[in-house]
Amino acid sequence: MSIPNFIKNIFLLLLIYPQISFCQVKQNQPYNVLFIAVDDLRTELNCYGATHIKSPNIDRLANNGVKFTNAHVQQAICMASRASIMSGIRPEKRGIYTGESVTDVLPNVLTINKFFEQNGYNIASSGKIYHYPEDTKEQFGNTYINPTATWKGKGYVTKESLEIFKKFKEGPAYEAADVHDTIYPDGINTLNAMRKLEVLKKENKPFFMAVGLLKPHLPFNAPKKYWDMYPESSIKLSELTERPENSSKYTLRVKGELTNYPGMPGSFKEIPDSTAINLRRGYYASVSYIDAQVGNLLNKLEELGLRENTIVVLWGDHGYKLGDYGSWCKWSNMNIDTNIPFIFNVPNGVKGETYTHPVEALDIYPTLAQLCQLKQPTHIEGKSLVSILKNPKKEPKTKAYAYSVWPDERWNYEKTVMGYSVTDDQYNYVEWVQLKTGEVVERELYDHKKDPKETKNVIADGQYRNVISELAGKVKLKKEATDHHHNFKNVKSN
């Protein structure tokens, strides 16, 4: 056979069998999956345009795959976001939006890790994948690697922090200890995952290895060397000091969990600039700390010869506000909270590409299933991104949307006001709906082309009448699909 005919036959094979993805013609082994979850990671990364952030390893991941800049979680809070991603079900279903455990709200669902296990994969996890310990135990059992703690509480190691922890049962909001990476949880969890990769390589089965990095979630604790990357004089305060103009009382919360830490101002008290600078510096240090752990994982894959047969996906469970709009938490439908870093690396796939149209974190499950040539479960609600991963430059045939919800008073159905958000290439539209009655009590619209930081709600501007009509139609479908008959309506009464 001549070389031209050989090439022609390969091309015909790809046409006849479109499900064969990337290098599957050359390889007979199924793909492995390295599944990296990062807590509270906003898109303030060098590869996302934030040149003041030192994130060379996540940048490396982006340079070797496809980076999604308009990716959104379906609820900007750890519990519900992760439950939705891992189950493949939107949080307005089955009471997921209340933030209760997967074990409680979804006892019989086939989660992504169980799906891979059911399909013959070895599974393992290290760090935070599910929010609740009972879910980790139920989902991973003895394949979860429990670290030996060298810290107290949420990761305190210095004498000063331990004294505060002993007195208040909670440590400070940030800490910089001159210690090795593995003295803090993310370092030891990453080391344990690297050791597990060595074991998995020796077994004659594909694997699904889930690694959950806790930082940059509060408290902002990281080894001193990462703090040293960000001199105090280099830290700038947020330029977004005010709530969005014309925003509703449901739009934002103020300080959230930050108020739980000793020395932090209460919910409606101003945070001094010096404290805000230290908090932002600690967040940046934590980002560089987890970036180093991502680098360790990538290096280990290469060292073990696994890189060319392992899909790597990195995702954040939601964004975070660092004084933006006067707020220090997530918990909203604002773009700063729903928009996440989202990167896919596929062996022999396209490299260094960026996709700017909306996608959802919910899409991870079906995408991994198709990449690994496994039959997708019928219950999952996301869409596969494989065609995008093959050709990110191709415009979508139909307009894309991403959906998110935020429930005010989520534990008391009698009072719950659900914020339904839909994002397209230009707008973020939100309807706040009294769940019990269906009454729309507030609406918001943000024009990202004119106002990318969402500083003004333009819902009353007549020029957007057609846009509002279109997006309200999309939200209507999500409202109609919401489950009202679940067992978690009155978890807490206020």
Side-chain angles (χ1 to χ4, degrees), residues 2-16:
S2 67
I3 291 177
N5 284 336
F6 172 76
I7 294 173
K8 184 188 298 181
N9 287 340
I10 289 292
F11 179 72
L12 289 173
L13 183 63
L14 289 171
L15 288 177
I16 296 169

Side-chain angles (χ1 to χ4, degrees), residues 34-75:
L34 178 59
F35 185 83
I36 305 174
V38 189
D39 214 336
D40 283 23
L41 183 63
R42 55 200 239 159
T43 54
E44 195 174 4
L45 296 163
N46 184 69
C47 56
Y48 278 82
T51 56
H52 59 284
I53 297 295
K54 297 172 177 61
S55 52
N57 297 293
I58 297 177
D59 299 345
R60 175 172 33 142
L61 200 62
N63 290 335
N64 283 288
V66 178
K67 171 185 67 183
F68 294 83
T69 59
N70 202 357
H72 296 265
V73 292
Q74 279 48 79
Q75 189 173 330

Side-chain angles (χ1 to χ4, degrees), residues 24 63 167-168 270 329 387 400 469:
Q24 293 289 321
N63 290 335
K167 182 177 180 180
F168 296 100
E270 290 294 321
C329 58
S387 62
S469 177

Side-chain angles (χ1 to χ4, degrees), residues 291-355:
D291 178 80
Q293 309 319 307
V294 171
N296 289 335
L297 291 167
L298 297 179
N299 291 343
K300 194 64 178 180
L301 285 181
E302 292 170 0
E303 175 192 324
L304 294 172
L306 293 170
R307 189 71 183 87
E308 44 202 48
N309 196 46
T310 301
I311 298 163
V312 182
V313 57
L314 179 143
W315 52 276
D317 63 353
H318 46 71
Y320 195 79
K321 294 182 290 295
L322 293 169
D324 311 285
Y325 313 106
S327 180
W328 290 86
C329 58
K330 42 270 186 180
W331 308 339
S332 83
N333 284 316
M334 303 290 290
N335 188 73
I336 197 170
D337 289 337
T338 66
N339 188 211
I340 57 167
F342 188 37
I343 301 169
F344 256 99
N345 272 198
V346 181
N348 288 358
V350 297
K351 299 181 185 296
E353 294 291 345
T354 298
Y355 190 76

